[in-house]
Amino acid sequence: MRYGASGVCHSDLHVVDGEWSAPFPIVLGHEGAGVVEAVGAGVEHVAAGDHVVLSWWYPCGTCRQCRHGEHWVCSGNHADESVLHDGTTRLSNADGAVHQYLSIGTFGEQAVVPASAVVPIPPEVPFEVACLIGCGVATGVGAVINTAGVEPGASVAVIGCGGVGLSVIMGAALAGADPIIAIDREQAKLDLALEAGATHGVQPSGSVRRAVRAIVPDFVDYAFEAIGLKETVEVMPRITRRGGTMVMVGMTPEDTKVSFDGLLLPSSGQSVIGSSYGSCVPAVDFPRLAQLHLAGRLPIDRLVTHRIALDEVNDALAAMRRRERARSVIVY
Ligand SMILES: [Zn+2]
Ligand SMILES: [Zn+2]
């Protein structure tokens, strides 16, 4: 692979900040797109010169989940170990092996990656847009369309308007939801949310419950948490209607405990569901998301608020730590 662009995603920051474990040393980055330079024996679904999006949770094809078509929860790949199928990595330094985050390591210009992590897309999609399909967009849009199955006319609230939250909003707009209430502390992110399809923006300076009730009197059908914070996950029951659905999309630091009143869910009929990688089958969903972008139905380009060089990646991570920026994208 020769990478054309890589997004800087919160999962990279979780590793940098020690909130998630990973093997070191490691080349981070997992939201990539680029051009195939060469393929190994037996690889037939891509060829040299193809434009591709990288999937960081690539299917093994044989585990129980893969056999059921649930590629997003495959248990047979080596992504967690950040190595290739054979247990090795093709990067090294003077001290030995260097890992590739989630087996792809997109904070670098080139990599050897598993064939099933590579999904061809139309070459008309710019790399800086295509790379975001591989994590934030698949995770956010997929949570709405695949995991929750939001129906036209449903009311939706989205907590957190970073790259994933904005993608949830785009997915909700695509599904025909209304109203779509964006909730974030930063006015700049709320402005982006309104551009992405939100009908209302709420800053949580006062009561979020009161603000949501002023828009939807009996609260929303679907709430999405797209940050990964205990405090904001626990807001969801207070803004979701009786019988409504709460979707956990944001990923918390390891060992974070989230609590709800034990009587609340059975008495209110609310459900909590977890959405992993937008319940996407990469080979099916990535080309579909690319096509929707080309058709003008998914304005992924609006997520790209900062284009940077590889050596500016630490600045991008620092900005993310301050909860600034929607998405920084490294352009190679
Ligand atoms: Zn990510
Ligand atoms: Zn599998």
Side-chain angles (χ1 to χ4, degrees):
M1 278 294 315
R2 180 168 288 279
Y3 290 129
S6 171
V8 181
C9 173
H10 208 107
S11 300
D12 302 305
L13 184 61
H14 278 306
V15 176
V16 171
D17 286 349
E19 294 173 344
W20 290 1
S21 40
F24 292 105
I26 191 166
V27 172
L28 288 173
H30 62 282
E31 194 174 60
V35 179
V36 173
E37 294 209 302
V39 299
V43 175
E44 294 177 349
H45 74 292
V46 283
D50 283 355
H51 288 215
V52 295
V53 173
L54 276 290
S55 164
W56 51 256
W57 201 258
Y58 47 92
C60 74
T62 55
C63 74
R64 181 170 173 169
Q65 290 77 243
C66 282
R67 292 201 309 274
H68 282 266
E70 299 169 347
H71 292 189
W72 58 94
V73 279
C74 169
S75 55
N77 65 34
H78 295 272
D80 264 347
E81 300 134 77
S82 293
V83 295
L84 302 180
H85 285 307
D86 61 3
T88 70
T89 163
R90 304 300 154 80
L91 300 174
S92 60
N93 62 16
D95 298 323
V98 173
H99 292 84
Q100 306 168 214
Y101 189 39
L102 298 170
S103 311
I104 58 179
T106 60
F107 291 172
E109 288 161 342
Q110 287 176 287
V112 175
V113 301
S116 65
V118 165
V119 179
I121 51 139
E124 298 80 45
V125 183
F127 291 131
E128 65 184 47
V129 165
C131 68
L132 301 186
I133 292 174
C135 186
V137 172
T139 299
V141 176
V144 177
I145 308 284
N146 298 334
T147 314
V150 169
E151 63 274 26
S155 51
V156 165
V158 183
I159 304 171
C161 298
V164 171
L166 290 169
S167 299
V168 171
I169 288 165
M170 289 195 294
L174 196 61
D178 188 83
I180 302 169
I181 305 167
I183 304 168
D184 200 285
R185 286 192 312 205
E186 302 278 329
Q187 186 58 46
K189 288 189 183 170
L190 289 181
D191 293 342
L192 275 172
L194 293 170
E195 281 180 35
T199 57
H200 300 76
V202 168
Q203 266 187 320
S205 46
S207 162
V208 172
R209 180 176 161 87
R210 202 176 308 130
V212 170
R213 187 161 55 189
I215 301 164
V216 187
D218 41 11
F219 305 106
V220 295
D221 297 311
Y222 296 92
F224 292 84
E225 202 276 354
I227 307 172
L229 281 178
K230 169 185 166 64
E231 294 75 16
T232 43
V233 171
E234 291 174 353
V235 164
M236 286 200 288
R238 295 195 277 127
I239 62 170
T240 305
R241 72 165 170 83
R242 290 174 64 80
T245 303
M246 304 177 273
V247 188
M248 290 180 64
V249 185
M251 299 180 88
T252 69
E254 287 170 7
D255 301 322
T256 299
K257 301 289 184 287
V258 172
S259 63
F260 300 118
D261 184 327
L263 183 57
L264 182 74
L265 300 190
S267 66
S268 72
Q270 292 174 330
S271 12
V272 185
I273 52 177
S275 181
S276 176
Y277 214 167
S279 307
C280 280
V281 174
V284 174
D285 288 273
F286 290 5
R288 206 176 263 179
L289 293 167
Q291 184 54 41
L292 285 165
H293 173 72
L294 290 175
R297 305 281 304 277
L298 205 54
I300 300 171
D301 50 308
R302 295 202 185 151
L303 300 179
V304 184
T305 49
H306 295 76
R307 289 166 188 78
I308 62 170
L310 179 58
D311 60 6
E312 295 171 290
V313 68
N314 286 330
D315 300 333
L317 290 166
M320 183 173 278
R321 206 176 275 122
R322 297 191 297 269
R323 304 212 169 272
E324 297 169 2
R325 303 188 183 183
R327 221 24 152 217
S328 304
V329 173
I330 302 164
V331 180
Y332 295 109

